[in-house]
Amino acid sequence: MTTSTIDRSAWEQTTRRQRALHALTETISQDPTALPAAVRRARSETFGSLDSLLLAAHAHWVRTFEARLDHLLEQGGYGDQAAVERVWRETAQVLDGTAALLDAYADHEVLARAHADHRRRARSTAGVDLPSRWVGASRPAQRAQRPAQRVERAGWRCRARALLTH
């Protein structure tokens, strides 16, 4: 199908949704605490339902990850679990806002089903199992900051204990 045969409003809607998803994930990347408000705004302004938003984010993740996975497979990486996990972490670094969004809603039924399908495809096409979460080892800097933030809000004893243990 050529671009000339695509309904202009469908093309514009697709472009608008891609831009909205990019804006959402960029906001989350810049400020992870903004995730709930940014999701509400994206739903009300562009996506309508949380299901639609999560499926769009998951599809973007899958396209990016599988492009990297294809390159690994072309180099003979079939069945190389460690290499696939490395590609997964690299994708999470590149799409850190998307990874945070997907991880925050990992238990949502629609997303869990989509990810289960992706994991099945990876087992059959690459001979590996995909991680069950998007964020984790890929974001050590933010994880390291969380305890320090909690300590700042805690009393002097907690701050002293934290300083002694570091």
Side-chain angles (χ1 to χ4, degrees):
M1 178 183 322
T2 64
T3 326
S4 62
T5 60
I6 296 175
D7 181 11
R8 185 162 179 77
S9 63
W11 180 260
E12 289 170 352
Q13 180 182 7
T14 299
T15 303
R16 187 172 50 99
R17 288 170 57 93
Q18 288 175 342
R19 287 183 180 150
L21 182 61
H22 176 60
L24 169 65
T25 58
E26 189 64 29
T27 298
I28 295 167
S29 179
Q30 299 298 320
D31 181 12
T33 63
L35 189 143
V39 166
R40 279 192 302 277
R41 188 173 48 254
R43 284 179 58 197
S44 67
E45 293 174 1
T46 307
F47 291 95
S49 71
L50 181 59
D51 292 356
S52 177
L53 170 61
L54 293 176
L55 288 174
H58 186 262
H60 179 62
W61 172 274
V62 169
R63 283 189 307 272
T64 305
F65 172 74
E66 289 192 354
R68 293 166 174 263
L69 182 62
D70 284 347
H71 179 71
L72 175 70
L73 294 175
E74 287 171 0
Q75 295 178 341
Y78 181 85
D80 188 345
Q81 185 68 41
V84 170
E85 288 174 4
R86 186 183 70 249
V87 170
W88 187 266
R89 286 189 306 273
E90 290 169 357
T91 305
Q93 289 172 345
V94 171
L95 298 179
D96 60 340
T98 304
L101 172 65
L102 295 173
D103 207 57
Y105 290 93
D107 296 329
H108 190 278
E109 181 181 347
V110 167
L111 184 55
R113 200 173 330 124
H115 188 54
D117 290 344
H118 188 210
R119 291 178 84 180
R120 271 191 296 280
R121 283 192 317 272
R123 271 186 236 110
S124 67
T125 60
V128 295
D129 192 28
L130 299 179
S132 60
R133 304 297 284 213
W134 291 268
V135 178
S138 63
R139 299 183 87 176
Q142 286 187 354
R143 262 197 331 221
Q145 290 173 357
R146 286 188 195 129
Q149 290 170 349
R150 274 189 248 128
V151 169
E152 289 174 9
R153 286 184 242 131
W156 69 271
R157 288 183 188 160
C158 290
R159 282 193 297 269
R161 199 173 316 134
L163 290 172
L164 292 173
T165 60
H166 283 80

